[in-house]
Amino acid sequence: MSTLKVYSTPVTGSREIKSQQSEVTRILDGKNIKYELVDISQDNALREEMRAKAGNPKAIPPQIVNGDQYCGDYELFVEAVEQNTLQEFLKLA
């Protein structure tokens, strides 16, 4: 089984990014979906890995990946929650 990863950073001046990251983890925790939090502030290689998987050199957290499959960013995550398609979005279905 692939590991669901949420790329995030505690080091940001953006309240919006902090809020988005905590909302993603809160929803996943609330649905008992296991995930690994990847702190991109610890290592530039992790930031580059996140951006490569997202296919966007300017991607910012939170970004969600399941194994080698890119799921999406915060906006796509919220859309999936609202449309009740979170399992499919996270490539768990």
Side-chain angles (χ1 to χ4, degrees):
M1 171 120 184
S2 304
T3 304
L4 190 64
K5 291 183 180 177
V6 177
Y7 289 90
S8 68
T9 179
V11 186
T12 176
S14 166
R15 277 200 309 241
E16 184 181 5
I17 289 175
K18 284 181 183 166
S19 162
Q20 291 177 355
Q21 291 176 157
S22 61
E23 186 172 351
V24 167
T25 56
R26 182 180 56 75
I27 290 170
L28 291 175
D29 289 342
K31 295 186 178 293
N32 285 326
I33 296 173
K34 290 187 183 357
Y35 61 94
E36 176 188 338
L37 210 51
V38 180
D39 180 358
I40 65 165
S41 70
Q42 297 300 312
D43 187 345
N44 262 343
L46 292 171
R47 179 180 292 115
E48 294 310 313
E49 175 186 298
M50 173 192 79
R51 289 178 170 166
K53 288 185 178 182
N56 178 351
K58 293 189 168 94
I60 55 170
Q63 297 289 332
I64 303 155
V65 175
N66 189 342
D68 289 332
Q69 291 188 292
Y70 177 64
C71 299
D73 60 7
Y74 173 76
E75 281 76 20
L76 293 170
F77 176 84
V78 170
E79 195 176 295
V81 170
E82 288 171 356
Q83 294 177 355
N84 213 12
T85 57
L86 189 58
Q87 292 287 321
E88 293 85 348
F89 169 79
L90 296 173
K91 318 263 190 259
L92 298 172

